Amino acid sequence: MTYPNFRLQKVKHTLAKVNALTAEMRGMSDEELKHQTVLLKKELANGKTVDDILPRAFATIREADYRILGMFPYDVQVMGAIVLNQGNIAEMKTGEGKTLTATMPLYLNALTGKGAMLLTPNGYLAQRDKEQLQPVYEWLGLTVSLGFTNSDQKPLPQVKREWYNSDIVYTTASSLAFDYLFNNLATRIDDQYLRPFNYVIIDEVDAILLDEATSPFVVSSTPMVQSNLYRLTDDFIHTLQPEIDYKLNEDRTAVWLTLHGIRQAQRFFRITDLFTNRYREVYRHIILALRAHFIMENGHDYLVSEGKVVLLDEANGRLKRGVKVSTGLHQAIEAKEQVDLTPNQQVAASITFPSLFGLFNKIAGMSGTVKSDEQEFFEVYKMRVIQIPTRKKVIRRDYPEQIYLTTRQKLIHALDETIELHKAGRPVLLVAGSVENSEIISELLLDQGIPHNVLNAFNVAREADIVKDAGQRGAVTVATNMAGRGTDIKLGAGVKELGGLAVIGTEMLPTRVKLQLAGRAGRQGDPGSSKFYISLEDSYLAKNSTKRFKNYYRQLQKKKTDKQLRSPRLKMSIAMLNDRVAANQQMARSNVNKNEIALKIQRKYLYDRRDQLMRTAHLETEVGKWLSRGISLYLDKKVKWNALELRHLMNQHFTYDVVDLPDNLELDHKKIQKYLEQFCQKELEQKAKVLINSEQLNQFYRSALLNALDSSWTDQMAYLSKLSVIVQPWTTAQRDPKFMYQEKAYQAFEKMFDTVAKKVVDNLMLSTIRLNKDNNLIVHFN
């Protein structure tokens, strides 16, 4: 414990320097205070670092916050800001003012002219914070923007360029991820809008860098040919009988056909053997349909909204619009729900949050509950977690978990307490484990005549208003796990005297999520309480429990007890289960991060090559190199060539015209190589005659090269997505699958550039080019 305290002492030492300037700043006129921005920028230009000017910069914006907003950041907020500037994580409890804390490091790092960003969990919070704090930044002479638009109209690249060239940008992590990918898919410099990443603060850093670390953000390209088997296999599933034709394991995590089911499938599809290569796709679609029907649950894993299947993040109850389950499972769910099938598309680009934030010079984070994950944050991101003391002592009462055998018993006791608290006038936040459960709890409350609000995936638009009202006298709010995160629940008049907000959990949850929810009550020294009701039937326990635990549950079932379970052995088992799940999740994130390293290196190399191509004014030399390599690769397919084979090769990859080979052409590799290079040169000279100037010729070359790179990268992405599954069996041969992944990924990347070279030949030689009526270049690649 002495080591973290030592770090906090250093933070307090810097705080003293900031506080020493308070009187000086208070004595300045408005013009003098505004001028501090100019002076601080000069100091940076003269060689000082952001750490050197921190005390004066923090004191400046601290006073500006007071003059413009009427809020003077407390010492604990300044301490949090110092930690954020260090590139570390500040653990600050709910209600401690993280929004105002961020103004100080954002202002300081924006003074470099390289930009600073703040990423929030959702668009509402980003817009709210930007609008609230914009007057302060602009008063001090900095520009600020919102990194997305709420309009349905797609913003132009020049508009996005203005956003990202602002000194300070407020946006969401997902908006930034997609903008990064699209920026690097641009085919013209004018269509790019990002500048190099400098400094970023991630609000709710544990949600972004841990909970969402394994979910890549994907930009899709051309749709793959749609299979007609989704509807057919869905019809087949309806003919099956449980236990006879298929079986589910106890945890409902795996489903398979029995021997009887396999025979049923062979009769239904009129095939002799389901497991031959010829019918591999039929079998794959059957497995997808089985998973869609018996593992993916409506209300838990997805919802049907406006005729579309939308994935559901069970951790926070939010709809993940635009995100799909890969490998065809999404289409199998659509067939199950009888909605239109969406195309299964290839991946053109993807990135995970660990890779995205690895592109910044310095990253920092804030959250109320990160101390339990500090080791992982340091190992993966080299960020230390420093706990900032609360301004006022936390007086919230956190009661022990109430454990019951069945879901029914648990809900009865949770609702009884809610009714009791409601009668006393205390506001209650009732937490459900899923959207489906939130609807069930809502119906039970309606049966009891208790008015309430429901905050789940169906009404995100009203999220801020619902959260705002959740602390009013007598208010009852039903919410999914993390809904409303980032918005304070402030107590209404007279509520403090009644005991403050009561958080009642109705589901077994991971420790960190439980702490986050408990932290919704008792903000800034307010009274409050938290109590969690769980049952041995909760999905979290059912999915993760051991055989011994399940046997214990069965023994209790026989006794049919209605009483609260108080066994120390049971509590110890649940605690161990929690630790085991956390360790497994960390291992899963570690594996994804290790695989992502290979992709990160490849992606950076590819994007650097793309940038180089877009910035090269004359591409003739580059085109010559690619053509030479492509021709050589085509010729290496055979040891010896005859005239007929060479004509066939040329009609496939060089020209659609009839080929007349020179009579004196010697058919060895070197002579054929030279002949084909000259042939290509003449063809390109003919194409150039269609164009107006050398700039258009360069544009044609650039399009051909970028198209070859991008289409080959799409194939590489598809291969890598399958590779992680392909290498798993290597464990049985005592080989590390992670090492095998890295090795195979590197080999595939090397081969990818051979494919690029051949596609460059095809693009340059077989494409058609023309000018439209405005003399703009139009290129068609065959």
Side-chain angles (χ1 to χ4, degrees):
M1 289 298 292
T2 54
Y3 192 52
N5 285 342
F6 165 70
R7 293 192 174 280
L8 202 58
Q9 287 304 317
K10 287 185 72 176
V11 170
K12 287 179 178 178
H13 180 68
T14 307
L15 168 67
K17 293 181 181 179
V18 177
N19 282 339
L21 295 166
T22 301
E24 181 186 339
M25 296 297 167
R26 184 60 52 90
M28 287 184 182
S29 67
D30 284 355
E31 289 306 313
E32 287 173 326
L33 188 63
K34 289 179 185 178
H35 191 59
Q36 290 301 304
T37 299
V38 177
L39 297 176
L40 289 165
K41 283 184 175 180
K42 279 184 182 176
E43 289 190 29
L44 287 172
N46 291 333
K48 286 195 175 181
T49 66
V50 289
D51 292 333
D52 295 332
I53 66 166
L54 183 149
R56 182 160 288 272
F58 276 20
T60 298
I61 191 163
R62 200 182 188 191
E63 178 64 22
D65 284 333
Y66 175 68
R67 295 191 191 185
I68 304 301
L69 304 175
M71 294 186 287
F72 189 72
Y74 298 115
D75 282 1
V76 290
Q77 290 173 306
V78 178
M79 289 168 67
I82 294 165
V83 169
L84 292 175
N85 179 65
Q86 292 169 345
N88 288 323
I89 297 170
E91 182 180 270
M92 299 177 70
K93 300 302 178 188
T94 301
E96 290 295 302
K98 293 193 282 287
T99 301
L100 198 61
T101 298
T103 61
M104 291 172 270
L106 285 174
Y107 171 72
L108 170 62
N109 285 275
L111 292 171
T112 62
K114 297 176 183 178
M117 292 185 188
L118 187 133
L119 305 185
T120 62
N122 60 60
Y124 162 76
L125 292 173
Q127 189 165 356
R128 182 202 68 182
D129 293 355
K130 180 257 182 184
E131 288 173 358
Q132 181 186 357
L133 299 168
Q134 185 170 358
V136 179
Y137 298 126
E138 291 183 346
W139 192 79
L140 286 170
L142 298 183
T143 56
V144 61
S145 66
L146 189 67
F148 58 88
T149 176
N150 294 317
S151 167
D152 292 334
Q153 195 170 353
K154 189 178 177 182
L156 295 170
Q158 54 263 41
V159 173
K160 286 191 174 186
R161 202 174 300 121
E162 285 178 25
W163 294 348
Y164 286 109
N165 281 339
S166 297
D167 294 313
I168 296 167
V169 182
Y170 281 83
T171 187
T172 64
S174 56
S175 296
L176 182 65
F178 282 122
D179 277 348
Y180 173 76
L181 293 175
F182 281 116
N183 182 76
N184 285 289
L185 287 172
T187 55
R188 300 186 310 151
I189 293 176
D190 291 346
D191 292 334
Q192 292 189 311
Y193 40 79
L194 287 178
R195 58 173 168 169
F197 292 147
N198 178 41
Y199 176 69
V200 64
I201 299 173
I202 307 167
D203 193 12
E204 307 298 354
V205 66
D206 48 343
I208 301 297
L209 292 187
L210 297 184
D211 298 341
E212 297 186 39
T214 58
S215 302
F217 284 81
V218 172
V219 172
S220 299
S221 64
T222 53
M224 292 186 279
V225 177
Q226 188 67 284
S227 168
N228 61 357
L229 286 170
Y230 291 111
R231 297 284 187 207
L232 196 58
T233 47
D234 191 72
D235 291 339
F236 166 66
I237 296 301
H238 287 100
T239 69
L240 301 179
Q241 298 178 60
E243 296 301 320
I244 297 172
D245 295 315
Y246 68 90
K247 285 191 176 182
L248 269 166
N249 67 350
E250 268 190 298
D251 302 335
R252 294 184 67 87
T253 56
V255 59
W256 61 92
L257 291 176
T258 62
L259 180 59
H260 191 275
I262 292 166
R263 287 171 179 161
Q264 175 83 344
Q266 288 171 173
R267 281 193 296 272
F268 185 91
F269 291 98
R270 298 177 184 178
I271 58 180
T272 52
D273 188 350
L274 184 61
F275 298 102
T276 59
N277 278 339
R278 184 179 176 186
Y279 299 116
R280 179 183 290 175
E281 278 302 295
V282 175
Y283 179 68
R284 187 175 77 87
H285 279 74
I286 290 172
I287 295 301
L288 289 173
L290 285 168
R291 287 186 63 195
H293 274 269
F294 305 118
I295 294 177
M296 302 296 286
E297 293 182 54
N298 193 342
H300 276 270
D301 303 294
Y302 67 90
L303 292 173
V304 178
S305 174
E306 298 173 357
K308 293 181 180 177
V309 169
V310 185
L311 293 184
L312 184 63
D313 189 339
E314 224 183 324
N316 58 29
R318 295 186 193 279
L319 291 172
K320 297 161 81 173
R321 296 190 185 276
V323 180
K324 286 186 179 182
V325 187
S326 60
T327 69
L329 182 57
H330 203 97
Q331 286 72 22
I333 297 169
E334 289 168 335
K336 166 192 171 183
E337 297 294 344
Q338 299 296 305
V339 299
D340 292 339
L341 299 188
T342 54
N344 200 354
Q345 295 181 303
Q346 291 180 296
V347 175
S350 81
I351 194 165
T352 61
F353 280 143
S355 287
L356 178 69
F357 293 115
L359 299 169
F360 281 86
N361 293 329
K362 183 164 66 174
I363 64 171
M366 307 183 286
S367 182
T369 49
V370 280
K371 194 64 178 174
S372 59
D373 297 295
E374 65 177 330
Q375 186 178 348
E376 185 175 357
F377 272 114
F378 184 71
E379 287 175 358
V380 178
Y381 302 103
K382 301 297 180 281
M383 299 167 76
R384 298 190 183 276
V385 175
I386 298 176
Q387 289 178 302
I388 306 300
T390 54
R391 190 171 67 89
K392 294 180 180 179
K393 187 179 177 182
V394 177
I395 59 172
R396 182 187 67 245
R397 293 189 65 182
D398 296 319
Y399 294 96
E401 285 177 332
Q402 311 286 297
I403 308 171
Y404 292 90
L405 181 62
T406 67
T407 301
R408 179 179 171 277
Q409 293 162 7
K410 168 191 75 174
L411 288 178
I412 287 170
H413 286 87
L415 289 170
D416 284 346
E417 177 152 8
T418 301
I419 292 164
E420 203 174 304
L421 291 165
H422 177 65
K423 285 177 181 174
R426 280 186 69 185
V428 179
L429 178 65
L430 253 174
V431 183
S434 67
V435 172
E436 184 183 46
N437 288 355
S438 71
E439 299 291 320
I440 292 168
I441 291 169
S442 176
E443 286 182 26
L444 292 171
L445 288 171
L446 287 173
D447 290 343
Q448 296 291 329
I450 296 179
H452 60 279
N453 280 315
V454 181
L455 182 51
N456 60 25
F458 290 118
N459 50 18
V460 175
R462 291 185 55 228
E463 181 171 308
D465 292 331
I466 292 173
V467 172
K468 200 185 300 177
D469 294 338
Q472 300 304 309
R473 186 184 179 106
V476 176
T477 308
V478 181
T480 44
N481 295 355
M482 299 309 297
R485 185 171 180 174
T487 309
D488 279 354
I489 298 177
K490 296 179 182 177
L491 300 184
V495 170
K496 197 178 287 188
E497 292 72 23
L498 295 171
L501 176 70
V503 173
I504 296 180
T506 64
E507 198 96 6
M508 176 72 190
L509 298 168
T511 303
R512 179 158 48 87
V513 177
K514 182 183 166 187
L515 291 172
Q516 287 161 352
L517 291 165
R520 304 313 299 268
R523 62 182 290 281
Q524 293 196 357
D526 287 342
S529 64
S530 74
K531 188 184 287 187
F532 288 81
Y533 290 85
I534 68 174
S535 82
L536 302 191
E537 294 177 344
D538 285 356
S539 61
Y540 182 84
L541 283 172
K543 286 177 182 176
N544 301 300
S545 55
T546 60
K547 281 188 177 180
R548 183 182 292 179
F549 191 93
K550 287 170 185 171
N551 290 334
Y552 179 68
Y553 166 68
R554 290 190 192 99
Q555 289 167 16
L556 289 173
Q557 267 188 319
K558 292 173 186 174
K559 295 178 183 177
K560 296 182 178 178
T561 178
D562 286 338
K563 295 180 180 177
Q564 183 183 335
L565 305 177
R566 302 176 186 274
S567 162
R569 174 189 163 194
L570 176 61
K571 291 178 181 178
M572 176 69 76
S573 295
I574 290 173
M576 290 172 67
L577 179 144
N578 241 329
D579 291 343
R580 188 172 65 252
V581 171
N584 289 340
Q585 289 173 341
Q586 183 175 346
M587 181 63 72
R589 288 193 291 267
S590 173
N591 289 338
V592 169
N593 288 338
K594 283 174 182 174
N595 287 350
E596 178 69 14
I597 288 169
L599 184 56
K600 178 182 176 181
I601 295 167
Q602 294 180 16
R603 181 171 47 233
K604 185 181 185 309
Y605 183 80
L606 178 88
Y607 289 170
D608 287 347
R609 292 295 295 267
R610 287 183 99 264
D611 281 349
Q612 185 185 351
L613 287 175
M614 283 194 286
R615 284 167 170 74
T616 303
H618 302 287
L619 286 166
E620 289 85 353
T621 305
E622 188 74 15
V623 163
K625 288 177 185 175
W626 281 109
L627 277 173
S628 179
R629 180 175 175 179
I631 291 167
S632 178
L633 287 163
Y634 276 133
L635 292 178
D636 286 344
K637 287 180 179 180
K638 294 183 72 68
V639 178
K640 294 189 75 177
W641 289 87
N642 59 42
L644 184 63
E645 289 168 340
L646 183 57
R647 286 194 194 94
H648 182 64
L649 175 75
M650 290 180 71
N651 281 144
Q652 276 186 311
H653 302 289
F654 292 81
T655 179
Y656 293 132
D657 296 333
V658 175
V659 177
D660 289 320
L661 296 175
D663 294 332
N664 60 347
L665 178 63
E666 296 179 39
L667 295 176
D668 66 64
H669 272 229
K670 284 187 179 178
K671 297 286 171 52
I672 298 173
Q673 175 92 19
K674 188 176 180 182
Y675 166 70
L676 288 176
E677 285 176 6
Q678 290 172 347
F679 180 87
C680 290
Q681 188 60 41
K682 288 176 184 174
E683 284 293 308
L684 291 176
E685 285 170 5
Q686 288 300 313
K687 288 190 177 187
K689 290 177 181 178
V690 177
L691 306 174
I692 295 174
N693 51 37
S694 59
E695 190 178 322
Q696 282 191 337
L697 181 62
N698 213 51
Q699 188 183 338
F700 164 57
Y701 288 158
R702 185 178 293 113
S703 298
L705 293 172
L706 290 176
N707 177 273
L709 274 173
D710 291 345
S711 59
S712 300
W713 178 244
T714 298
D715 294 340
Q716 172 74 351
M717 294 285 291
Y719 172 72
L720 291 179
S721 67
K722 294 172 185 172
L723 183 60
S724 57
V725 178
I726 293 169
V727 298
Q728 288 309 311
W730 280 95
T731 51
T732 57
Q734 304 299 309
R735 298 288 297 274
D736 181 1
K738 291 186 282 294
F739 172 78
M740 294 302 298
Y741 179 93
Q742 303 282 350
E743 186 178 53
K744 300 282 183 189
Y746 176 73
Q747 290 169 355
F749 192 58
E750 278 195 317
K751 287 181 182 176
M752 186 193 92
F753 284 96
D754 288 346
T755 306
V756 171
K758 289 187 279 190
K759 285 187 177 180
V760 167
V761 173
D762 292 4
N763 284 351
L764 289 169
M765 304 310 298
L766 301 180
S767 58
T768 55
I769 60 175
R770 63 181 178 84
L771 300 179
N772 63 13
K773 61 181 180 181
D774 299 321
N775 280 332
N776 291 323
L777 175 65
I778 307 295
V779 183
H780 294 285
F781 297 116
N782 298 314

